[in-house]
């Protein structure tokens, strides 16, 4: 029993962190673009289009998104089951989510601080890299922990359709064989993972918030 | 050539479908190396005007000519470079909370492409001048209001700009800190040769630091010129200066009993302020002079005095003739 639980835990962690990193790497620039278009006078129409797209993606329930993505997943991952296929699904679902979180975090930058950077003649690149992101860094850390915790849940859902990991373990043993102890261990491990992520996120954000 | 010229400037805000005109036909010019005050009551449009000067606020129409270049027509790339020659000190300081004092001060240098080592060295130098050396590694949230303000001034002058713009630099300070900041502004102006434009609603600030003043009222500029001219006009126009109007009506009551007295309001400016002009103008003229109110204030370019006197008997007319040749401005009122 123990080797199976360990294997499932490693699979879950693998799916959570790889899709987490991918979602941050893609979602953060998306959020920066959303912010940039929303404050720009000329490009607000682009913002409206992106805004609607993000909302549509976010309102599709994850399990349905997996179904809709099946043809694409097969193309991208070569298969529709297993951790790698799940990572693709998880990333597609999490990118718009993290993009929105990032946009909200960037909106906490006071207008005056942005003005004073403009008054110093910063370029767009300098503004993003030296002012916008560093000034809102604690918020991004908290967002990353929210994202990862959401991915814990999503990973378990993906387990129901063959992704592997703790979710699938719990369903296979609990739902089909009534071995409730396996379900219990899975839940405990999932809760622990979430707690650690949350604690770390809060701690780091607090240190960064001066 | 002037350092800054503003021509026929109009600014309005679109607010819930309605258009509010905030600046109406503003014309302004600022000499190299001078200190210009923008004054007016709250809501007059002072901050808006200041923000328009480096195009943080785009005007509806009009020109802003800085150092010979009309900045309303140049590309955003060129505008960016030009902005590096103008320091701005906002009312709320707007420091970067994720950066230390040293990094805040060095920031504009780094933005301008100066090597990090050199930028930090220069930042330290300015910090020392502004007495911030002991706080270099603190974060903005750990500073007092006065310290934050000095950091924001250091950050604005570290690039050795041609001009700095200050929004209400004294509104949050006590009298001691106010005096200190005003001295600092004058020093930055005289030692670094930086032209200063300062927004304030405090006329005392104008008196103490400004060469010229632009006075705004509901978005219109009702005066633009030398500080002493503004206060001289202000003193002599009863409708505008309540204090002077009150003095005058009291004086009229007091002097009403004496017949044939003339009431005279005088403005002194510069060295003449401390000379015995009344004595000189009245010698040999058997005039009775009655001093009712008087005040001397220290302006940036020297003393500025106002005096209210009654004069009667003897050759009053001749005395007044002499007087009018020797004072800055004079006004005779018959009782
Ligand atoms: N972003 C804005 N949108 C709409 N109206 C604005 C905006 N900013 C300022 N105003 C209006 O413009 C007018 C002038 O504002 P401004 O801030 O320039 O005044 P001020 O002279 O600096 O006042 P104070 O001394 O209170 O700072 C005010 O009536 C204000 O309500
Ligand atoms: Mg203001």
């Amino acid at each position: 029993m123990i080797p199976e639980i360990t294997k499932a835990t490693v699979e879950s962690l693998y799916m959570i962190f790889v899709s987490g990193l991918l979602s941050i790497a893609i979602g953060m620039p998306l959020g920066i673009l959303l912010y940039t278009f929303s404050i720009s006078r000329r490009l607000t129409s682009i913002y409206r289009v992106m805004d609607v797209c993000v909302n549509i993606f976010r309102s599709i329930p994850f399990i349905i998104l997996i179904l809709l993505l099946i043809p694409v997943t097969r193309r991208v991952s070569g298969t529709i089951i297993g951790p790698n296929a799940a990572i693709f699904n998880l990333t597609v679902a999490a990118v718009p989510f993290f993009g929105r979180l990032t946009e909200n975090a960037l909106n906490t930058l006071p207008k005056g601080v942005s003005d004073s950077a403009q008054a110093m003649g910063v370029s767009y690149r300098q503004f993003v890299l030296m002012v916008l992101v560093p000034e809102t860094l604690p918020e991004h850390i908290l967002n990353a922990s929210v994202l990862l915790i959401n991915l814990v849940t999503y990973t378990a859902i993906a387990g129901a359709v063959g992704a592997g990991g703790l979710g699938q373990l719990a369903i296979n043993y609990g739902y089909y064989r009534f071995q409730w102890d396996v379900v219990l261990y899975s839940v405990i491990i999932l809760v622990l993972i979430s707690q650690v992520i949350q604690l770390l996120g809060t701690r780091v954000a607090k240190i960064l918030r001066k | 050539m002037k350092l800054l010229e503003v021509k026929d400037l109009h600014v309005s805000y679109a607010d819930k479908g309605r258009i509010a005109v905030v600046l109406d036909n503003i014309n302004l010019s600022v000499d190299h190396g001078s200190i210009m005050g923008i004054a007016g009551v709250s809501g007059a449009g002072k901050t808006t005007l200041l923000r328009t000067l480096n195009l943080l606020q785009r005007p509806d129409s009009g020109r802003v000519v800085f150092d010979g270049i009309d900045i309303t027509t140049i590309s955003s790339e060129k505008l960016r470079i030009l902005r590096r020659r103008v320091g701005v000190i906002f009312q709320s300081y707007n420091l970067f909370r994720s950066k230390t004092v040293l990094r805040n001060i060095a920031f504009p240098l780094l933005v301008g492409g100066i090597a990090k080592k050199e930028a930090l060295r220069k930042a330290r130098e300015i910090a020392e001048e502004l007495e911030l050396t002991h706080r270099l590694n603190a974060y903005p949230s750990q500073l007092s209001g006065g310290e934050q303000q000095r950091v924001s001034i250091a950050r604005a002058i570290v690039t050795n700009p041609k001009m700095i713009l200050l929004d209400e630099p004294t509104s949050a300070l006590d009298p001691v800190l106010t005096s200190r900041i005003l001295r600092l502004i004058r020093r930055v102006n005289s030692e670094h040769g930086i032209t200063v434009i300062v927004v304030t609603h405090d006329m005392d600030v104008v008196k103490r630091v400004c060469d010229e003043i632009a006075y705004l009222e509901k978005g219109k500029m009702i005066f633009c010129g030398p500080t002493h001219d503004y206060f001289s006009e202000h003193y002599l126009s009863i409708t505008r200066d309540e204090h002077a109007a009150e003095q005058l009506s009291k004086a009229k009551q007091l002097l009403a009993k004496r017949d044939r007295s003339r009431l005279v309001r005088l403005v002194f400016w510069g060295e003449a302020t401390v000379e015995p002009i009344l004595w000189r103008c009245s010698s040999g003229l058997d005039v009775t002079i009655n001093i009712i109110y008087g005040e001397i204030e220290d302006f940036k370019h020297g003393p500025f005095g106002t005096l209210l006197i009654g004069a009667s008997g003897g050759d009053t007319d001749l005395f007044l003739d002499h007087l009018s040749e020797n004072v800055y401005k004079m006004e005779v009122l018959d009782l």
Side-chain angles (χ1 to χ4, degrees):
Chain A
M1 195 72 259
I2 290 188
E4 278 178 59
I5 291 183
T6 313
K7 180 169 171 282
T9 307
V10 171
E11 269 175 3
S12 280
L13 287 174
Y14 170 73
M15 287 189 275
I16 291 164
F17 284 100
V18 173
S19 64
L21 283 179
L22 285 173
S23 310
I24 291 171
I26 305 167
M28 185 104 183
L30 173 68
I32 292 171
L33 281 183
L34 281 168
Y35 173 84
T36 306
F37 290 141
S38 76
I39 60 168
S40 147
R41 272 171 301 139
R42 268 168 295 164
L43 303 171
T44 40
S45 46
I46 299 186
Y47 176 74
R48 289 212 196 92
V49 174
M50 286 177 77
D51 189 46
V52 170
C53 291
V54 166
N55 284 343
I56 290 174
F57 257 87
R58 286 194 52 204
S59 47
I60 302 175
F62 183 53
I63 194 82
I64 294 174
L65 187 71
I66 294 176
L67 294 177
L68 292 175
L69 281 175
I70 284 176
V72 194
T73 311
R74 187 170 283 134
R75 272 263 164 94
V76 174
S77 319
T79 170
I80 55 162
I81 53 164
N84 288 331
I87 284 172
F88 175 71
N89 291 318
L90 289 166
T91 306
V92 170
V95 162
F97 176 60
F98 197 70
R100 181 66 82 207
L101 288 182
T102 301
E103 185 198 356
N104 291 345
L106 299 177
N107 275 324
T108 64
L109 182 78
K111 173 86 167 36
V113 174
S114 152
D115 277 349
S116 84
Q118 299 307 336
M120 290 174 201
V122 291
S123 64
Y124 176 68
R125 204 186 144 82
Q126 287 171 329
F127 177 66
V128 170
L129 296 180
M130 295 165 79
V131 179
L132 187 58
V133 175
E135 285 292 295
T136 48
L137 197 57
E139 272 67 36
H140 299 299
I141 301 293
L142 290 175
N143 286 347
S145 55
V146 169
L147 172 82
L148 290 174
I149 288 169
N150 267 286
L151 285 172
V152 172
T153 315
Y154 281 22
T155 310
I157 297 176
V161 289
L166 290 165
Q168 188 164 353
L169 189 77
I171 287 172
N172 285 350
Y173 283 86
Y175 191 73
Y176 298 122
R177 297 190 208 160
F178 304 104
Q179 289 194 14
W180 294 109
D181 51 341
V182 180
V183 178
L184 187 66
Y185 295 141
S186 301
V187 169
I188 289 174
I189 294 171
L190 288 171
V191 168
L192 279 178
I193 294 173
S194 300
Q195 286 296 327
V196 170
I197 293 169
Q198 184 65 62
L199 273 175
L200 275 177
T202 314
R203 183 74 54 86
V204 173
K206 202 168 178 182
I207 292 170
L208 287 175
R209 194 171 276 150
K210 312 239 159 69
Chain B
M1 196 177 62
K2 304 273 185 178
L3 177 63
L4 181 75
E5 276 182 281
V6 171
K7 290 188 189 135
D8 309 323
L9 196 73
H10 290 261
V11 176
S12 59
Y13 289 116
D15 196 14
K16 287 178 204 127
R18 283 195 316 160
I19 291 175
V21 177
V22 178
L23 291 176
D24 187 6
N25 198 27
I26 303 292
N27 285 279
L28 193 69
S29 68
V30 184
D31 283 321
H32 282 274
S34 66
I35 303 184
M36 156 80 78
I38 297 175
V41 297
S42 181
K46 308 181 293 291
T47 301
T48 306
L49 177 54
L50 198 75
R51 291 171 61 84
T52 313
L53 297 184
N54 71 351
L55 295 196
L56 283 178
Q57 171 68 46
R58 286 261 165 193
D60 301 352
S61 65
R63 297 199 284 155
V64 178
V65 183
F66 176 72
D67 217 8
I69 300 166
D70 181 358
I71 61 171
T72 57
T73 60
I74 61 178
S75 69
S76 57
E77 188 62 20
K78 283 202 179 117
L79 177 62
R80 233 161 38 67
I81 307 297
L82 222 104
R83 277 178 174 163
R84 295 185 185 157
R85 287 151 65 191
V86 180
V88 186
I89 293 131
F90 293 89
Q91 190 168 2
S92 48
Y93 314 142
N94 297 340
L95 301 177
F96 302 118
R97 60 190 168 178
S98 67
K99 301 184 199 309
T100 61
V101 167
L102 183 65
R103 290 305 174 110
N104 263 285
I105 301 176
F107 186 82
L109 295 171
L110 296 172
V111 164
I114 292 182
K116 193 165 159 189
K117 213 172 150 195
E118 171 67 5
L120 293 181
R121 189 191 62 76
K122 261 194 142 165
R124 279 203 188 86
E125 200 178 290
I126 292 287
E128 183 166 356
E129 187 181 333
L130 299 198
E131 296 167 46
L132 287 163
T133 305
H134 60 296
R135 302 298 274 147
L136 284 181
N137 295 315
Y139 286 89
S141 62
Q142 302 163 332
L143 302 179
S144 75
E147 284 167 339
Q148 287 185 37
Q149 184 174 43
R150 294 212 300 288
V151 175
S152 102
I153 294 179
R155 192 174 66 167
I157 65 174
V158 72
T159 51
N160 198 21
K162 291 215 164 183
M163 174 168 87
I164 54 172
L165 310 173
L166 295 109
D167 196 358
E168 304 272 7
T170 60
S171 61
L173 306 180
D174 65 31
V176 177
L177 270 183
T178 296
S179 291
R180 193 170 158 189
I181 237 52
L182 294 182
R183 272 201 306 279
L184 182 62
I185 291 172
R186 285 176 65 160
R187 203 176 77 214
V188 165
N189 174 246
S190 60
E191 286 176 19
H192 295 252
I194 297 174
T195 305
V196 178
I197 297 183
V198 51
V199 159
T200 184
H201 60 254
D202 183 354
M203 296 316 280
D204 210 42
V205 170
V206 175
K207 290 174 184 171
R208 286 157 75 180
V209 302
C210 295
D211 300 298
E212 301 214 8
I213 167 176
Y215 195 92
L216 294 180
E217 210 171 84
K218 292 185 187 139
K220 290 197 168 65
M221 200 162 69
I222 57 167
F223 183 93
C224 183
T227 306
H228 58 268
D229 273 350
Y230 173 80
F231 284 99
S232 154
E233 257 187 42
H234 194 75
Y235 175 71
L236 294 177
S237 99
I238 305 170
T239 47
R240 258 195 270 158
D241 191 334
E242 288 172 21
H243 182 58
E246 201 176 311
Q247 281 181 8
L248 198 67
S249 71
K250 269 193 199 155
K252 279 184 177 166
Q253 285 171 13
L254 284 172
L255 293 189
K257 296 161 203 137
R258 302 164 184 269
D259 42 78
R260 312 200 65 242
S261 235
R262 314 280 283 279
L263 205 52
V264 187
R265 301 210 290 170
L266 305 165
V267 176
F268 301 91
W269 162 242
E271 281 167 23
T273 312
V274 289
E275 280 173 22
I277 285 173
L278 290 186
W279 169 77
R280 204 190 291 151
C281 291
S282 63
S283 65
L285 288 182
D286 189 29
V287 188
T288 308
I289 300 173
N290 191 353
I291 295 178
I292 302 160
Y293 283 108
E295 191 176 14
I296 294 181
E297 290 174 284
D298 267 324
F299 278 24
K300 188 190 173 198
H301 292 292
F304 176 90
T306 52
L307 189 62
L308 179 61
I309 62 172
S312 60
D315 266 327
T316 301
D317 287 338
L318 195 54
F319 165 66
L320 294 180
D321 278 351
H322 285 316
L323 206 53
S324 70
E325 284 158 22
N326 282 284
V327 297
Y328 188 69
K329 286 268 168 66
M330 181 174 116
E331 191 181 58
V332 182
L333 305 135
D334 289 303
L335 275 176

